[in-house]
Every structure is written in C-alpha cells, then in structure tokens.
C-alpha cells in the first residue's frame, strides 16, 4: 500500500489514492487475516536499493534480513470520522510522507515467537551454526508476561535455537534500538538482540 496523503505527522489521509478506512476494513476483517492478534502498520523506511550493492553484499543483506522487507512497525490506533488512519509517530525527524510504502503486520504471541526464532536461526546460519558467546537482549515492555502469559518464552526459544545456554543479560524497555536495512531506528513491540562472538 502506498501512502498518498498525510495530514499532521501521523494521520494518513490516503492509501493507494483512496480513503484508508475503505482500503483497510476489508483487509482487517477478511478471511486472510492470519489468526488472532493486533493489526499493525509496517512502514518501509530504508530507501537504499539493493542494486547499489555488489552481488555478494546484496546476497548477504538479503540473507541477514531473512528475505523479508525491512519495516518500522507502528500501531494503528483508529480511523477518524473522515476515515483517515491514525498511526503512532514514525520516528523523530522522519514524519510519514507521500510515497512511503506500508504493509499490514499481525502482532501476536505466535507471530512474535516465530519471527524471533527465524531471526535467531538466520543469525546461526550466517555464522556457520555457531551460537553467540554472549547476548544482550532488550525487549519491549508489551512483550514478556503481558504478551505470552508466562515468563521466559523468548529466552526459551533462543536457548532452543542456540542449542545451549548462552550468557545473556537484558531488560524490558519502552522503545528498542535496532536496524532496519542499513540504519538503526527506535522500534516498538520488538525484541532487539545483540549477539556477541569472540
């Protein structure tokens, strides 16, 4: 979906040149919605085309991203009376703008654990199956018991993927720094992992 109109910093007036409510309601209530969860907006923020890299660098970048687009995910709060979409602000110094691309994401326990597992498996594959020697993990305060209903779910997934206990330190936060494409941004509803190898 292309953002085609913006009023204020985080109110989208047009998606694909149409009213956002008219575009999104059929998608949000349709049969293809993947399970239970909270719908979020994923906004593509790294405009660097892969064609500007050597083929080896582009291949490594694609592998590191697990073949997925790189987005900042933000909550979709409501529709205004006019049908405009109200999102959480994107990031300081970068308002939503016409031409930005958006896709829908589903925030749920199964999707969160599946994505974490996929990213950890990709990291292991990029390092010849070697787990990190240590890790620093910063998780959103909306994850943990609030999301999963019990403690230790994400650390259990990481331990399973790594095949052993890895010395780890971490904390919950109200915003997590991590990359999107080749830049770092302030995220929300995510877990950022710094894998340390000696």
């Amino acid at each position: 979906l292309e953002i085609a109109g913006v009023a204020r910093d985080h109110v989208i007036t047009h998606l694909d040149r149409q009213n956002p409510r008219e575009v999104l309601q059929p998608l949000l209530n349709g049969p293809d919605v993947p399970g239970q969860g909270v719908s979020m907006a994923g906004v593509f923020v790294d405009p660097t085309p892969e064609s500007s890299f050597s083929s080896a660098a582009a291949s490594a970048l694609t592998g590191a991203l697990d073949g997925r687009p790189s987005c900042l995910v933000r909550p979709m709060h409501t529709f205004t009376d006019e049908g405009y979409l109200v999102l959480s602000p994107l990031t300081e110094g970068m308002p939503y703008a016409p031409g930005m691309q958006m896709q829908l994401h589903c925030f749920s326990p199964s999707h969160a654990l599946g994505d974490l597992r996929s990213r950890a498996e990709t990291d292991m594959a990029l390092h010849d199956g070697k787990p990190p020697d240590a890790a620093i993990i910063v998780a959103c305060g909306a994850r943990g018991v609030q999301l999963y209903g019990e403690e230790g779910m994400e650390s259990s997934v990481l331990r399973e993927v790594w095949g052993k206990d890895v010395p780890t330190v971490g904390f919950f936060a109200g915003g997590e720094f991590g990359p999107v494409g080749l830049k770092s941004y302030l995220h929300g509803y995510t877990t950022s992992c710094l894998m340390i190898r000696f």
Side-chain angles (χ1 to χ4, degrees):
L1 301 170
E2 181 177 330
I3 296 174
V6 178
R8 299 189 301 277
D9 288 342
H10 57 279
V11 178
I12 309 303
T13 60
H14 293 86
L15 284 173
D16 286 348
R17 303 195 187 289
Q18 300 173 60
N19 181 282
R21 180 171 39 218
E22 293 172 8
V23 172
L24 294 175
Q25 283 293 350
L27 298 173
L28 296 172
N29 299 313
D32 297 328
V33 175
Q36 300 297 314
V38 177
S39 296
M40 305 277 231
V43 180
F44 296 83
V45 293
D46 187 7
T48 308
E50 287 186 22
S51 61
S52 67
F53 300 106
S54 69
S55 61
S59 177
L61 178 61
T62 300
L65 297 174
D66 193 26
R68 297 180 185 176
S70 291
C71 303
L72 280 179
V73 178
R74 295 295 185 254
M76 298 190 302
H77 293 293
T78 190
F79 292 106
T80 67
D81 291 340
E82 299 87 0
Y84 300 165
L85 175 63
V86 180
L87 301 171
S88 284
L90 194 52
T91 187
E92 187 175 326
M94 181 185 286
Y96 294 97
M100 286 182 163
Q101 298 292 315
M102 184 184 107
Q103 68 182 20
L104 296 179
H105 288 252
C106 182
F107 181 65
S108 70
S110 62
H111 287 98
L113 290 176
D115 190 49
L116 180 66
R117 178 181 300 281
S118 175
R119 299 297 174 152
E121 288 171 348
T122 298
D123 177 73
M124 289 277 288
L126 289 171
H127 293 91
D128 300 319
K130 181 182 183 286
D133 296 303
I136 300 171
I137 300 174
V138 181
C140 178
R143 293 173 81 112
V145 174
Q146 293 83 347
L147 179 61
Y148 303 115
E150 59 184 285
E151 293 181 0
M153 294 297 293
E154 292 188 351
S155 57
S156 295
V157 166
L158 292 173
R159 188 178 306 110
E160 183 181 319
V161 171
W162 293 335
K164 67 175 196 172
D165 285 328
V166 170
T168 304
V169 64
F171 55 90
F172 288 100
E176 311 76 48
F177 285 100
V180 172
L182 300 176
K183 298 178 183 176
S184 290
Y185 294 92
L186 182 63
H187 293 263
Y189 301 90
T190 60
T191 294
S192 292
C193 302
L194 173 63
M195 312 301 189
I196 301 169
R197 291 179 169 86
F198 303 115

